[in-house]
Amino acid sequence: MIKLSQRAWNNVIIVSMLMLIMLFNFSSDFLNGSSDEASSMLTLVPANMTITTITFEQQKVERIGQGWRATSGMYSNQRLASLVEQWMNAEINLFEQSPNWQLPTSTVKLWFAGQALPIEYQFMQLADKTLVKINQKTYLLISPNYQLLTLSE
C-alpha cells in the first residue's frame, strides 16, 4: 500500500469525486439513450405549463384548489384529473402535409396559469389519423387517442 499523508489522501478522494461527477455529466446522453426520434416528439401541452381551464364545445372543466370540476357536475374529480393528465402527456408530431381545414371535428380551448388568452386546439379526423391544429401549424396526435382527450363516456 502507498504511504500518503492524511492531506494527500484527502486530495486523492476529492480528485476522484470530481472525475466521477464529470463522468456522470458527460455520459447523460449515453445513459438516457437519446435518439433523433425522441427529439422530434412534442407534447400537446407546452412543458411546465399549468392548465387552469379546459373549454370543450358543450362542457367546461375548471381547476378549483387542487381538484377539478365540470360545469355540468356530471363527472367525478378523479375522472377530470385523469382527463387533464391525458392532456399533459399527449404526444404529437409535426404533420408535413397540409390538409384541407374546412371544418374541424372539434375545438378545445385551454387556459394556462399566468396567461391571459387561451390556446386553441382544433381537432380533425382523417381516416385513421387525428390531426391537431395549434397556432396555424398542423400536428399528428400520436398518443393517446382523441376519445381520451374528451369527456365522452
Side-chain angles (χ1 to χ4, degrees):
M1 185 152 166
I2 301 174
K3 292 265 186 186
L4 294 175
S5 68
Q6 179 73 29
R7 189 172 183 178
W9 278 113
N10 286 345
N11 288 338
V12 167
I13 291 172
I14 290 171
V15 168
S16 63
M17 288 297 117
L18 289 173
M19 288 175 27
L20 273 175
I21 290 170
M22 287 176 36
L23 175 71
F24 290 144
N25 281 335
F26 292 126
S27 67
S28 66
D29 287 341
F30 173 74
L31 294 175
N32 292 332
S34 66
S35 66
D36 292 337
E37 183 180 331
S39 65
S40 68
M41 283 287 197
L42 302 170
T43 56
L44 194 58
V45 175
N48 301 325
M49 298 292 283
T50 303
I51 298 174
T52 58
T53 305
I54 303 174
T55 304
F56 300 97
E57 279 123 8
Q58 304 286 326
Q59 200 66 250
K60 186 175 186 179
V61 176
E62 300 173 309
R63 185 174 191 90
I64 50 165
Q66 293 186 5
W68 296 91
R69 74 168 172 211
T71 52
S72 67
M74 293 175 39
Y75 302 98
S76 68
N77 182 46
Q78 183 179 5
R79 167 73 172 100
L80 297 174
S82 173
L83 173 74
V84 173
E85 189 68 27
Q86 293 291 342
W87 273 89
M88 297 296 290
N89 295 329
E91 295 176 340
I92 56 176
N93 267 340
L94 191 60
F95 194 68
E96 300 300 329
Q97 304 165 0
S98 46
N100 188 4
W101 279 93
Q102 294 176 356
L103 229 55
T105 305
S106 69
T107 300
V108 179
K109 292 182 181 178
L110 267 67
W111 274 265
F112 297 100
Q115 289 190 343
L117 298 173
I119 295 179
E120 184 174 277
Y121 297 86
Q122 294 180 345
F123 291 91
M124 187 171 80
Q125 293 292 130
L126 277 182
D128 60 343
K129 300 175 188 164
T130 301
L131 301 180
V132 186
K133 189 174 188 181
I134 310 165
N135 299 329
Q136 305 302 320
K137 289 186 181 177
T138 304
Y139 299 92
L140 175 66
L141 182 65
I142 303 298
S143 72
N145 61 17
Y146 173 69
Q147 285 71 30
L148 292 175
L149 298 176
T150 62
L151 284 173
S152 60
E153 292 295 324

